[in-house]
């Protein structure tokens, strides 16, 4: 088992990565909790809910709430559903919420924890590769029909307990989704790490040691940035590389039609292209494109109109005075943030989308 | 104009108290905001919305959202209504929300600000006496059908701008509601202040200088406690004097049937009674009771069953492991927190409620 410690302005928490950790969930907690509510989804519940439950002594009051799997559960309705369940089972301020699942569950349960009685403890037990990104850093949120993560908090967990064994049962599109964020962590930090990731073939079973290595490196990139800028005033924005167009695509296609990481993958290609244009540099657009094609990322989207996407991007939380802000790269490992004029944005996006469709 | 400064873990903000401040709202802001959303209710809007709006230069994009007056607007629906309006008018992370109104507006708008894009700036422009309590300290929340303020955040404003002139148009029951919290601030801090408040007759117009003095003293009590314990781990609980039964009464009668302060007034009487019992001391139960009667506080409630009230109290955020916690007084100015055994709670409550009904 590996671990690393993350410092925030309000607490310090450990991230544990290893095999079969879910069977020992209780042993990682630093406090005694008498009442615990496990939030999970209907797919994860079938596989792992009992494993986590059985790690606790029978004296503890353990409850669960199961939401439908999929991004569409990051909704107003499911948020109030979780809160109502917490009230129903009698959670008090000394209680714990456990987020058992992928990024959706972590965001939903974390946001519920951050606002239930003005904030109670929660831990993350991620069951997806994508959640290596979302479970660390304390950003929790639900979606609005007008955009992703528009309602949320900065609220760090008390611990992250990552059982690598749960990742082997992921469907291939979820592996692709998670690996897009690992690629991102490579691109914004370290050329060697980036190329190591491009050496990985996602369709065959990724060896445990490779997976553990990639997760830890990815978490480390994220943790380092988050420690320097918890509230996203500055360098934390770099983590949004690929996300400006990614979020717009996801929202426009309808959540669940394309995974988060698959949308971010297309967004990263676009960001590389805009970076090359703005800085006049050569970046690994083609190697990334090839890897995405080899690993069956969906690049042949239904023809996209530009205007709805641009409007979505302007509603992004990072937009300033109606100008889209994008994370660009001057080189691999050297991210920057730029406001992009509408004209440049539209012409590049138009050309990019047409190329993807015709490729 | 008087002012005091409040230090929190995340920011430092000023509370300004004086006459006609609403006409100068813009001048109290320390940052430039390009987009501002004013949240208010349909009663306050008629009186003061234009005054606040006109304090801003025409270059600023000013929007407003008006919710129905009354505690029932601290709801899931109105919360999402405010968030949707913020998205619709294009508020970004550099934007401001202004809470113009009483405690309901402050709590609703503050909670929306705390979760919109994971938190944007807001200021409080209170228009009720009660809001001297709620606008200071950064506690924001909405209600759940199962209890008050069960969903919320700790999220301090950027400023509080208190125009005493707006308080003269308050209906009498709102004056009673606000003065109950002033009485509370006296009881938990200072016998002299407490008796000064009991010298006030609420049915005639309270002179501006008396009102300003009481508000500043009340805010000072609250601010001092909040600075020592922002997240309510310790002394901040003292501010809940009278609130354990008060919240239960409010919820049980249905929000809006009795004002918050009126419910707290009854709760304070009960807390004095339990304090006398637990500590074997003599407290000013009778002087407070007399003052409440003189000032037309509703003490003749419809006969109340005990069990629903006790169940509500157990769902209170301060209850621990299903035991009700109450703030008691060892003497005026010397609050404590005690867990109350069910048996004592029920017998005292039963006797108290029967006395009130029969009085």
């Amino acid at each position: 088992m590996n671990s690393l410690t993350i410092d925030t302005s309000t607490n310090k928490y450990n991230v544990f990565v290893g095999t079969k950790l879910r069977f020992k969930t209780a042993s990682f907690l630093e406090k005694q909790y008498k009442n615990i509510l496990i939030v999970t989804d209907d797919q994860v519940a079938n596989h792992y809910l009992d494993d986590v439950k059985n790690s606790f002594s029978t004296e503890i009051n353990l409850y669960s709430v199961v939401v439908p799997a999929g991004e569409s559960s990051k909704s107003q309705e499911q948020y109030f559903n979780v809160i109502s369940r917490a009230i129903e089972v009698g959670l008090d301020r000394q209680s714990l919420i456990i987020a058992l699942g992928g990024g959706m569950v972590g965001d939903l349960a974390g946001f519920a924890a951050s606002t239930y009685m003005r904030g109670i403890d929660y831990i993350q037990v991620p069951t997806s590769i994508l959640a290596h990104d979302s479970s660390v850093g304390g950003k929790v949120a639900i979606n609005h029909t007008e955009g992703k993560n528009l309602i949320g908090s900065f609220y760090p967990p008390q611990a992250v307990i990552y059982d690598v064994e749960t990742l082997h049962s992921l469907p291939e599109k979820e592996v692709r989704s998670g690996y897009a964020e690992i690629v991102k962590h490579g691109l914004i930090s370290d050329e060697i790490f980036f190329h190591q990731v491009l050496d990985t073939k996602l369709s065959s079973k990724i060896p445990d040691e490779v997976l553990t290595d990639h997760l830890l490196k990815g978490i480390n990139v994220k943790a380092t940035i988050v420690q320097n800028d918890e509230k996203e005033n500055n360098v934390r924005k770099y983590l949004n590389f690929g996300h400006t167009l990614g979020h717009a695509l996801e929202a426009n296609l309808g959540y669940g039609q394309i995974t988060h990481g698959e949308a971010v993958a297309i967004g990263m290609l676009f960001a590389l292209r805009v970076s090359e244009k703005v800085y006049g540099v050569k970046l690994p657009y083609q190697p990334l494109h090839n890897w995405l094609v080899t690993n069956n990322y969906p690049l042949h989207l239904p023809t996209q109109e530009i205007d709805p996407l641009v409007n979505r991007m302007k509603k992004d939380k990072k937009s300033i005075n109606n100008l889209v802000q994008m994370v660009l790269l001057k080189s691999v490992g050297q991210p920057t943030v730029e406001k992009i004029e509408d004209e440049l944005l539209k012409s590049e996006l138009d050309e990019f989308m047409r190329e993807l469709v015709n490729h």
Side-chain angles (χ1 to χ4, degrees), chain A residues 49-249:
Chain A
L49 181 55
D50 286 341
D51 299 343
V52 171
K53 277 187 166 171
N54 294 336
S55 79
F56 287 92
S57 105
T58 51
E59 285 152 38
I60 289 165
N61 300 316
L62 268 183
Y63 308 96
S64 58
V65 53
V66 179
V67 303
E71 181 77 10
S72 57
S73 282
K74 272 177 67 173
S75 65
Q76 173 179 344
E77 290 73 23
Q78 290 303 336
Y79 165 61
F80 277 100
N81 176 30
V82 171
I83 294 275
S84 294
R85 177 78 176 141
I87 294 169
E88 181 188 290
V89 302
L91 289 205
D92 61 19
R93 286 183 165 177
Q94 277 69 43
S95 302
L96 178 74
I97 286 178
I98 297 179
L100 170 66
M104 177 280 282
V105 166
D107 273 8
L108 173 68
F111 183 54
S114 78
T115 55
Y116 182 67
M117 297 191 173
R118 297 200 181 88
I120 66 170
D121 285 354
Y122 77 111
I123 63 165
Q124 299 267 14
V125 184
T127 61
S128 74
I129 298 170
L130 185 64
H132 90 278
D133 182 56
S134 57
S135 66
V136 171
K139 281 167 86 171
V140 292
I142 57 173
N143 300 325
H144 188 279
T145 44
E146 293 296 321
K148 269 181 76 79
N149 298 328
L150 286 179
I151 305 169
S153 310
F154 291 98
Y155 198 73
Q158 298 298 308
V160 178
I161 300 161
Y162 219 129
D163 185 349
V164 181
E165 203 177 68
T166 65
L167 308 177
H168 293 305
S169 55
L170 288 173
E172 222 183 293
K173 68 175 182 170
E174 292 302 330
V175 175
R176 282 196 293 269
S177 185
Y179 257 88
E181 293 284 0
I182 295 180
V183 166
K184 180 197 78 180
H185 287 132
L187 278 170
I188 64 173
S189 72
D190 178 359
E191 188 146 17
I192 296 171
F193 177 28
F194 169 64
H195 284 291
Q196 281 172 349
V197 178
L198 290 205
D199 288 340
T200 313
K201 199 161 157 42
L202 305 186
S203 55
S204 46
K205 188 186 165 184
I206 305 162
D208 265 17
E209 62 277 14
V210 173
L211 196 48
T212 304
D213 179 57
H214 288 169
L215 287 173
L216 278 168
K217 278 184 180 151
I219 290 171
N220 197 43
V221 171
K222 172 135 191 191
T224 307
I225 289 178
V226 167
Q227 279 171 199
N228 287 320
D229 176 24
E230 202 177 335
K231 296 284 173 74
E232 195 162 18
N233 298 310
N234 186 0
V235 293
R236 185 163 183 164
K237 288 179 183 162
Y238 297 161
L239 295 170
N240 284 285
F241 183 72
H243 283 62
T244 313
L245 178 58
H247 279 162
L249 279 172

Side-chain angles (χ1 to χ4, degrees), chain A residues 233-303:
Chain A
N233 298 310
N234 186 0
V235 293
R236 185 163 183 164
K237 288 179 183 162
Y238 297 161
L239 295 170
N240 284 285
F241 183 72
H243 283 62
T244 313
L245 178 58
H247 279 162
L249 279 172
E250 243 185 310
N252 222 38
L253 291 167
Y255 297 123
Q257 294 305 302
I258 182 173
T259 65
H260 175 68
E262 287 169 339
V264 168
I266 297 170
M268 290 194 288
L269 275 182
F270 180 60
L272 286 177
R273 186 192 176 96
V274 175
S275 301
E276 288 185 336
K277 181 87 175 187
V278 168
Y279 298 123
V281 292
K282 182 76 188 148
L283 292 165
Y285 182 96
Q286 208 50 52
L288 177 58
H289 187 273
N290 295 346
W291 183 83
L292 294 175
V293 170
T294 305
N295 289 291
N296 303 315
Y297 281 78
L299 303 182
H300 293 264
L301 301 175
T303 314

Side-chain angles (χ1 to χ4, degrees), chain A residues 1-4 12-33 36 51-52 55-56 60 96 98 121-126 157-164:
Chain A
M1 187 191 72
N2 292 275
S3 75
L4 52 91
K12 188 185 265 206
Y13 62 95
N14 294 313
V15 180
F16 305 95
V17 186
T19 305
K20 299 191 188 295
L21 301 193
R22 68 188 184 281
F23 298 105
K24 298 181 281 186
T25 306
S27 68
F28 293 105
L29 302 182
E30 288 178 0
K31 290 186 211 166
Q32 288 281 358
Y33 298 95
I36 297 178
D51 299 343
V52 171
S55 79
F56 287 92
I60 289 165
L96 178 74
I98 297 179
D121 285 354
Y122 77 111
I123 63 165
Q124 299 267 14
V125 184
Q158 298 298 308
V160 178
I161 300 161
Y162 219 129
D163 185 349
V164 181

